[in-house]
Amino acid sequence: MRDFLRELVAVAVAALVYYLVRGAVSDRAEEAFQRGRDILDLEQRLRLDWETAIQEAILGSNALIDFANGTYFWGHMPLLIVLAVWLWRSHRTIWRTFRNALLVSAAVGMVCYFLFPTAPPRLMPELGYIDTLALRAAPAYQAQEVGLFVNPYAALPSLHVGWALLAGLAVWQTSRHPLMRAFAVAIPLSQSWAVVATANHWTLDAFAGIAVCAIAWLIVALSHRLSFRTPIQFDRG
């Protein structure tokens, strides 16, 4: 129990620092909106501007809007907390990789949010994007809007998607059962859809989040593998 509390405090402090830093650099609106427009322009040239089509597919159905909102909210921090506790209790080695990859990607995210503030589609209603969380938000969703912790221009990269990928990787490694493997794949796929459907991220934000977190996982996994290697023994001459 003492070990668990120590782990919990360490992760909670890291999360607090992450959100405080993330929310402290939200005053560069002009730069952020220009970068959002630049991302849209790049997506259009790459034919990756899927935001409008994905939103149009759900806006006629309250059930689909609620599903997208729920996936965006409950598939992020609540899922990560439950997964973290389960991994710590049952799969300690995977927990360490998951935890460290979260911390590495959070550090990269903080640097990116400071250097590249980016406005998400939901802040650009003049382009036709609709903030579905504001449109049909349950009270629980409003927890993400606590001003001290919110940087509205922290769109690039999307750690909503990146951390969903880390969760999927962790679940994948816990079991070979087809249902568990299917759930592992569904976590990042559903979150990738949800962040675009709710207009909280650009498509390229999602790709960037996947890249950052995949690299973080690989670095952590490699460092763990190297740390467990048997040291080379030299004969004394």
Side-chain angles (χ1 to χ4, degrees), residues 50-63:
W50 304 335
E51 294 84 5
T52 299
I54 291 175
Q55 275 223 307
E56 287 179 348
I58 72 167
L59 289 177
S61 168
N62 288 338

Side-chain angles (χ1 to χ4, degrees), residues 60 70 101 120 127 149 172 194 208 215 229:
L127 298 180
F149 302 102
W172 181 276
I215 292 171
R229 283 187 175 179

